[in-house]
Amino acid sequence: MTTTRVPALLILSSTFLAAGANGISMVAFPWLVLQRTGNAVDAAIVAGAATLPLLFATLIAGAAVDFIGRRRVAMLSDALSAIAVAAIPLLAIAFGTDVLNTLVLAGLAALGAFFDPAGMTARQSMLPEAAGKAGWTRDHTNSVYEAVFNLAYITGPGIGGLLIATLGGVNTMWVTAALFGLAILAMGVLRLEGTGRPAREKLPESVVSGVVEGLKFVWHNRVLRTLGLIDLAVTGLYLPMESVLFPKYFTDRNEPAQLGWVLMALSVGGLIGALSWTVLSKYSSKRRTVLTAVLTFGIAVAVIAFLPPLPVILSFAAVVGLVYGPIGPIYNTIMQTRTPEELRGRVVGVMTSMTYAAGPIGFMLAGPLVDTFGLKVTFLVLAVPILVIGLLCPWLPALRELDDEPEPHKTPA
């Protein structure tokens, strides 16, 4: 078979552009609402609105990817996301910026977030075929994919902070829409086996039955189920820090650029950590890497919870990204090796939905806690459980199977 890196590079380019657009939005949405109200509850509402659809959208997206085709879903997802973010400056032009109240911003954040998982799931589902075409191992491909994803979140939030400072939050959304457009172009020229509409005999009976199949498969696989539940808890506790607490802290200090720096530090660490898995996988087991990551994550966010000086926050944010960087490649490889090809999109969708399932609960708690008890108390309320999870992980039996050879694929009846 002739090897070529073109399909892999197109998928990686599209991932970078779409994730970069989301990175800008991650800074711009809370900034827009905090600039108007200064209220952490309002920021939590908008952040929660951007997260709540992810729980349902990722489940549907996984089935849609297997039902409609991976490349087509990626393009459609990015087009709809571009429309959602472009609506902000368009509404401001048509009706003035006063129309961009908390309710409108929450609605647009939810609309944009609803389509994002489909594109992410579609691109992830194409990686094994792209790896085979390029002659890369799955560990290497997943490592590079996660590194590119983190690189996008280095440039995205950083550029977002700078654009807000120079152009304002509303006009920043034009850049977001343009990046989604470029991501569509990259997918438009992709030609790769397995990215089109699946054969009829491999299609689920319906989207609903496809979702149920994916849920059953993950629930009956002890390793995938345990990893999904850990991710659910840790992400649900951490997301409010990134999307509400940090924006509130830096908004109160009128320092949008510093917010971008913190998010960039997370992504720089994540970039290095993800790339390191290509080499680290030869020397360290998956189990040891996961245990180290979750425990170090808990310690680092506990330190950040005390809101030390900015250089300390930046250092520990980088540590968080560094130790958690290999987790994405590990999760991807485990999903790919333990899932039948025809179920891959659905399993990715289920695992991703578990990641975001607890996010809305975290946001509902974070806003009122900040307004009642302050930022430090809220940071600690969210950070301590992550540390506890890190201490408990070594005792979970399923994690001892991370490095075992997967059993032959079985689809639960």
Side-chain angles (χ1 to χ4, degrees), residues 309-380:
L310 182 63
V312 178
I313 293 177
L314 290 173
S315 299
F316 277 89
V319 168
V320 167
L322 183 65
V323 298
Y324 231 70
I327 296 299
I330 290 172
Y331 274 38
N332 287 347
T333 299
I334 290 171
M335 285 188 287
Q336 292 161 5
T337 55
R338 295 172 184 262
T339 306
E341 189 273 337
E342 66 272 14
L343 279 177
R344 193 186 302 149
R346 277 162 277 179
V347 169
V348 171
V350 169
M351 293 292 287
T352 306
S353 70
M354 291 181 73
T355 300
Y356 293 108
I361 298 173
F363 288 125
M364 288 172 61
L365 293 173
L369 281 172
V370 169
D371 288 340
T372 305
F373 299 104
L375 279 169
K376 283 188 179 179
V377 171
T378 307
F379 259 114
L380 282 170

Side-chain angles (χ1 to χ4, degrees), residues 136-396:
W136 295 346
T137 65
R138 290 193 181 187
D139 276 331
H140 175 74
T141 304
N142 289 318
S143 179
V144 174
Y145 171 83
E146 292 295 332
V148 166
F149 195 81
N150 280 285
L151 180 60
Y153 277 95
I154 295 172
T155 54
I159 291 173
L162 294 173
L163 288 173
I164 290 169
T166 55
L167 302 178
V170 172
N171 288 328
T172 294
M173 292 302 189
W174 286 123
V175 178
T176 309
L179 290 177
F180 279 124
L182 292 173
I184 294 168
L185 288 177
M187 283 291 95
V189 298
L190 175 68
R191 296 294 179 270
L192 181 66
E193 184 180 351
T195 61
R197 185 177 174 85
R200 183 175 295 276
E201 62 271 15
K202 292 186 177 182
L203 291 175
E205 293 180 9
S206 67
V207 171
V208 174
S209 65
V211 170
V212 171
E213 272 188 285
L215 286 167
K216 282 184 177 180
F217 186 88
V218 170
W219 191 253
H220 285 84
N221 188 298
R222 188 165 75 158
V223 173
L224 292 178
R225 182 178 69 237
T226 302
L227 290 176
L229 290 173
I230 292 171
D231 224 17
L232 181 153
V234 171
T235 306
L237 292 163
Y238 174 72
L239 276 179
M241 298 183 194
E242 189 172 280
S243 299
V244 177
L245 304 191
F246 278 132
K248 172 65 175 171
Y249 178 64
F250 289 107
T251 301
D252 288 347
R253 298 162 65 94
N254 194 31
E255 296 174 341
Q258 281 79 343
L259 172 60
W261 294 348
V262 171
L263 298 178
M264 285 174 67
L266 283 163
S267 295
V268 167
L271 169 65
I272 297 171
L275 281 175
S276 73
W277 181 242
T278 297
V279 176
L280 190 62
S281 62
K282 300 174 184 177
Y283 303 100
S284 178
S285 69
K286 292 181 177 69
R287 179 175 183 268
R288 187 182 301 119
T289 304
V290 169
L291 296 182
T292 302
V294 180
L295 181 59
T296 307
F297 191 6
I299 295 170
V301 294
V303 172
I304 291 172
F306 290 97
L307 297 176
L310 182 63
V312 178
I313 293 177
L314 290 173
S315 299
F316 277 89
V319 168
V320 167
L322 183 65
V323 298
Y324 231 70
I327 296 299
I330 290 172
Y331 274 38
N332 287 347
T333 299
I334 290 171
M335 285 188 287
Q336 292 161 5
T337 55
R338 295 172 184 262
T339 306
E341 189 273 337
E342 66 272 14
L343 279 177
R344 193 186 302 149
R346 277 162 277 179
V347 169
V348 171
V350 169
M351 293 292 287
T352 306
S353 70
M354 291 181 73
T355 300
Y356 293 108
I361 298 173
F363 288 125
M364 288 172 61
L365 293 173
L369 281 172
V370 169
D371 288 340
T372 305
F373 299 104
L375 279 169
K376 283 188 179 179
V377 171
T378 307
F379 259 114
L380 282 170
V381 167
L382 297 173
V384 170
I386 298 177
L387 182 56
V388 172
I389 292 168
L391 293 170
L392 291 176
C393 277
W395 309 103
L396 298 177

